[in-house]
Amino acid sequence: MGCIHIALAKGRILRDMLPLLATAGIVPREDPATSRKLVLDTGDESMRLVVVRAADVPTYVQFGAADLGVVGKDVLMEHGGEGLAEPLDLGLARCRMMVAEPRQLAQQDDPSSWRRLRIATKYPNVTRRHFAAKGVQTEIIKLYGSMELAPLVGLADRIVDLVDTGGTLRANDLVEVEHIADISARLVVNCAALHMKSSRLHAIIAQLEQVVEK
Ligand code: AMP
């Protein structure tokens, strides 16, 4: 019987996910937050955790290097989700993906009149798709972090970023002007594995489903 690999990213999702996995009976033998191992054994020797970068989780699962993965809906939307099934909203790391701009610009801005925008974001694919569907042209500047800085130094007029409390936007005198999507962590499964290891994967999905509903 082959081993089941679950891909997880360090940080917020891992921290919130470990207690959920523990309730479903999946407990790593070492603490993934401090261990430097990238493949972690669990109490069940047929189950392993694989620690990867958040943006790489969908790729590991898509190519079957991991059977299951836990990933933010933002990362999943940006990846496109090819070869992946998304059976469960884990309800963790909730936030929203928003268009934001400087407060001063917002005072005289009307989103319904947008025709062409210069936007800085970590999510070029999502941003392009969102605005293309509305007939708005975009010049997208891809950044890897601190999007909030871009309008402050004239790199872009607007940003597309995740917002949780709104504190980061407020601190940089930016305001939310358009909602793109509600975000939370999702369980993803390799579509081929879902057929080939059907009973084991469905059992894990069902266990997690019960834990999430509690
Ligand atoms: P906040 O100041 O609470 O609105 O948080 C916004 C900052 O935290 C931004 O830099 C976001 O990119 C990041 N952020 C907020 N929520 C999440 C999340 N669920 N996952 C990853 N990054 C997030």
Side-chain angles (χ1 to χ4, degrees):
M1 193 167 58
C3 199
I4 300 282
H5 289 94
I6 306 178
L8 292 165
K10 279 196 177 181
R12 197 180 307 232
I13 288 182
L14 178 65
R15 193 191 55 220
D16 293 353
M17 194 59 205
L18 284 179
L20 268 191
L21 287 173
T23 321
I26 303 167
V27 182
R29 289 189 187 275
E30 289 175 55
D31 180 358
T34 51
S35 172
R36 299 181 83 128
K37 276 194 182 172
L38 300 175
V39 181
L40 295 166
D41 291 327
T42 71
D44 175 346
E45 60 184 31
S46 70
M47 190 106 67
R48 292 197 187 117
L49 304 185
V50 192
V51 182
V52 304
R53 279 189 69 125
D56 292 336
V57 169
T59 307
Y60 276 83
V61 180
Q62 175 186 3
F63 290 98
D67 303 286
L68 295 159
V70 177
V71 64
K73 181 70 180 174
D74 53 325
V75 173
L76 206 51
M77 287 163 68
E78 185 63 19
H79 169 270
E82 195 191 333
L84 304 176
E86 187 193 318
L88 192 56
D89 182 347
L90 295 159
L92 305 173
R94 284 186 193 280
C95 61
R96 50 199 187 275
M97 191 184 289
M98 303 293 299
V99 185
E101 64 188 24
R103 183 178 307 281
Q104 229 183 351
L105 173 58
Q107 279 165 2
Q108 13 100 40
D109 194 20
D110 173 10
S112 69
S113 70
W114 286 345
R115 295 288 173 267
R116 186 172 171 79
L117 303 177
R118 187 176 160 96
I119 301 184
T121 186
K122 203 163 91 177
Y123 306 102
N125 296 330
V126 179
T127 302
R128 201 171 291 114
R129 275 202 306 268
H130 172 78
F131 284 107
K134 290 154 51 92
V136 178
Q137 284 186 12
T138 44
E139 183 187 345
I140 294 172
I141 297 164
K142 160 98 191 190
L143 293 176
Y144 292 87
S146 299
M147 268 76 79
E148 297 85 1
L149 178 61
L152 308 183
V153 295
L155 182 60
D157 307 319
R158 297 172 181 81
I159 61 170
V160 165
D161 195 8
L162 301 183
V163 181
D164 180 12
T165 62
T168 308
L169 290 183
R170 270 193 302 281
N172 293 290
D173 215 21
L174 300 168
V175 292
E176 299 168 45
V177 282
E178 189 163 273
H179 177 269
I180 295 183
D182 286 323
I183 304 294
S184 55
R186 309 296 163 97
L187 185 70
V188 290
V189 190
N190 175 276
C191 286
L194 196 54
H195 292 293
M196 281 155 45
K197 302 179 182 175
S198 173
S199 60
R200 292 178 73 204
L201 290 178
H202 278 111
I204 297 169
I205 294 166
Q207 271 173 315
L208 287 172
E209 208 162 18
Q210 274 189 349
V211 178
V212 169
E213 277 170 8
K214 274 181 195 160

